Amino acid sequence: MQIPFAASERSTVGIEWELALVDSDSGDLRQVAQTVLDAVAPEGADQHPHIRQELLLNTVEVVSGVCRTVGEAGADLQRAIDEIREVTDPLRVELMCAGTHPFANWTHQKVTDKERYATLIDRTQWWGRQMLIYGVHVHVGIEDRDKVLPISRAMLTYYGHLQALSASSPFWGGKETGYASNRALMFQQLPTAGLPFQFEEWGQLEGYVEDMLHTGVIDVFDEIRWDLRPSPKFGTLEVRVCDGIPTMSELLSISALTHCLVEHFSSELDAGRELPTIPPWFAQENKWRSARYGMDAILILDKHAEEDLITTDLHRLLDTLEPVAERLGCVEELGGIHDVVAGGASYQRQRRVAALNGGELDAVVGSLVEEMRAGRPVLHPS
């Protein structure tokens, strides 16, 4: 079979942000997504252009348009959030984002009444029902299909950096998991989820998709849920590595890092230089290390098994990407990565709040709600 790759302007960017709907008083999840979606849908349209339905009725997704900068994408998302709040504020419902809700019970959550979601749950059963998780997806336009797979393979060398920076799911079902990102390891239990295969040629991807369709593993391409995947209908590379990100400032910083990495690798290809790669077994180990240890992880940096602390390598990476950020108009946003390193990723802040409140996780939800409102991290003493 043939999979056409849509024409896309180079290094355009779009962001998808999954948000939890929580009760203002209890902090528990509220099943009011359909109420929100009905209220914001334009007259005569099936859905809002920037506010979308998700698997569970406790979730809405805000999506940007196709933008030139992450700042423009953020403005799209903020307008959508403001519109949602006009509906949710009178309902005493708050918006919150993290890889997982710290204490909500997955058995109490209702699935959106759509055939594709019912099919997913019917197939995946216990694992599918447990997917009480939230993520961020960043699309970056790639103008030439032949660049997509090389850039995707190169992005795996920085997979752990993106996962650690966004890690925000240390708690699940009211328990401390011991992981910075419990979401990362939960989500990969689904069929076709997890790390992508490192195909060398587009024809190999087409052969894989044909096999998956023929054997009934998937019905459509989008049911391939890799952490990094081509998006043929948009002409983008879709980076799905990140946990749910609690604040607009962090969202834009991590999206800027993603945006700059893709553009950097695209420029390297233009210059005729070979892109970095990492063996699948190192990529798998880095995923586990960054999920387990977050910003304290020591990552395997290359195919030669060189290792370093993620924080040390991030400083080198930001220096490399500074001229790319200037071209893409995101110097300020990329610089915010330094703030995440200095102030702590979300999982670190959540643990601090829990410790300050005797382990009470409703306080953690309260801090996440506060951060979403503020648009930036709210730092607490260690």
Side-chain angles (χ1 to χ4, degrees):
M1 68 176 299
Q2 292 188 333
I3 301 175
F5 188 76
S8 178
E9 188 175 347
R10 173 174 172 157
S11 291
T12 47
V13 64
I15 304 172
E16 303 171 356
W17 195 9
E18 296 171 354
L19 305 177
L21 301 161
V22 301
D23 188 83
S24 298
D25 301 305
S26 70
D28 206 349
L29 290 166
R30 289 273 297 273
Q31 319 292 309
V32 295
Q34 197 58 56
T35 300
V36 173
L37 293 166
D38 290 345
V40 300
E43 187 175 349
D46 291 335
Q47 64 179 0
H48 192 285
H50 298 291
I51 305 170
R52 303 285 172 80
Q53 189 173 61
E54 265 298 325
L55 171 65
L56 298 175
L57 287 175
N58 58 50
T59 308
V60 292
E61 181 182 57
V62 290
V63 301
S64 76
V66 178
C67 300
R68 292 189 175 276
T69 68
V70 294
E72 290 176 13
D76 276 357
L77 298 175
Q78 188 59 57
R79 283 189 290 271
I81 287 170
D82 291 344
E83 199 167 340
I84 291 170
R85 288 197 188 279
E86 291 180 12
V87 181
T88 54
D89 282 355
L91 298 175
R92 294 195 59 75
V93 169
E94 287 283 356
L95 301 178
M96 185 205 87
C97 189
T100 56
H101 186 285
F103 65 79
N105 188 326
W106 65 269
T107 63
H108 297 170
Q109 309 312 314
K110 297 177 181 177
V111 177
T112 300
D113 185 19
K114 293 288 184 182
E115 183 178 353
R116 65 190 179 103
Y117 294 135
T119 300
L120 172 65
I121 296 300
D122 181 63
R123 182 168 190 233
T124 58
Q125 291 294 306
W126 190 75
W127 276 112
R129 286 288 291 121
Q130 284 198 97
M131 291 295 126
L132 185 52
I133 55 177
Y134 306 87
V136 168
H137 305 160
V138 180
H139 288 262
V140 182
I142 297 179
E143 78 282 9
D144 182 350
R145 191 190 72 177
D146 290 342
K147 285 183 169 184
V148 177
L149 295 179
I151 291 174
S152 179
R153 293 194 301 273
M155 288 293 289
L156 283 173
T157 63
Y158 290 103
Y159 181 109
H161 303 64
L162 294 170
Q163 184 168 272
L165 286 163
S166 67
S168 61
S169 49
F171 305 108
W172 193 81
K175 303 293 184 183
E176 163 66 75
T177 66
Y179 282 77
S181 174
N182 190 51
R183 168 198 164 271
L185 301 186
M186 287 184 67
F187 187 57
Q188 70 181 10
Q189 305 306 318
L190 291 183
T192 73
L195 292 166
F197 294 106
Q198 296 194 39
F199 296 129
E200 295 282 341
E201 304 289 340
W202 191 260
Q204 293 175 302
L205 174 65
E206 291 174 327
Y208 167 82
V209 174
E210 184 174 20
D211 287 346
M212 295 299 100
L213 289 166
H214 180 74
T215 55
V217 177
I218 63 173
D219 293 319
V220 293
F221 183 93
D222 284 352
E223 290 175 1
I224 298 169
R225 299 181 175 91
W226 293 333
D227 300 331
L228 286 156
R229 72 177 182 189
S231 184
K233 67 180 179 182
F234 294 130
T236 65
L237 178 65
E238 183 180 3
V239 181
R240 301 158 50 87
V241 174
C242 295
D243 270 13
I245 299 174
T247 70
M248 180 66 78
S249 67
E250 290 169 293
L251 176 76
L252 296 185
S253 291
I254 295 170
S255 297
L257 178 58
T258 305
H259 196 194
C260 288
L261 278 168
V262 174
E263 168 60 23
H264 169 65
F265 290 136
S266 187
S267 297
E268 290 290 282
L269 286 174
D270 291 344
R273 288 187 280 270
E274 182 180 353
L275 298 189
T277 59
I278 194 166
W281 45 93
F282 286 168
Q284 185 174 344
E285 175 65 14
N286 278 346
K287 179 173 183 175
W288 186 86
R289 290 185 188 186
S290 56
R292 170 66 177 87
Y293 300 110
M295 298 300 291
D296 293 322
I298 297 172
L299 296 180
I300 305 165
L301 302 180
D302 55 33
K303 60 187 177 183
H304 306 296
E306 294 294 326
E307 297 177 278
D308 210 340
L309 284 165
I310 187 171
T311 47
T312 302
D313 197 51
L314 272 170
H315 288 301
R316 287 194 294 261
L317 176 61
L318 293 175
D319 287 342
T320 299
L321 295 180
E322 187 173 343
V324 182
E326 291 177 359
R327 292 202 306 272
L328 295 179
C330 61
V331 171
E332 182 179 351
E333 290 88 350
L334 184 66
I337 296 294
H338 290 295
D339 298 330
V340 179
V341 174
S346 177
Y347 77 93
Q348 294 169 307
R349 302 197 305 273
Q350 289 180 50
R351 283 176 173 159
R352 285 181 207 143
V353 171
L356 288 169
N357 289 275
E360 294 297 326
L361 297 186
D362 55 349
V364 176
V365 173
S367 73
L368 288 165
V369 166
E370 180 185 5
E371 289 192 336
M372 174 62 74
R373 284 272 184 187
R376 55 177 174 74
V378 177
L379 302 181
H380 298 271
S382 300

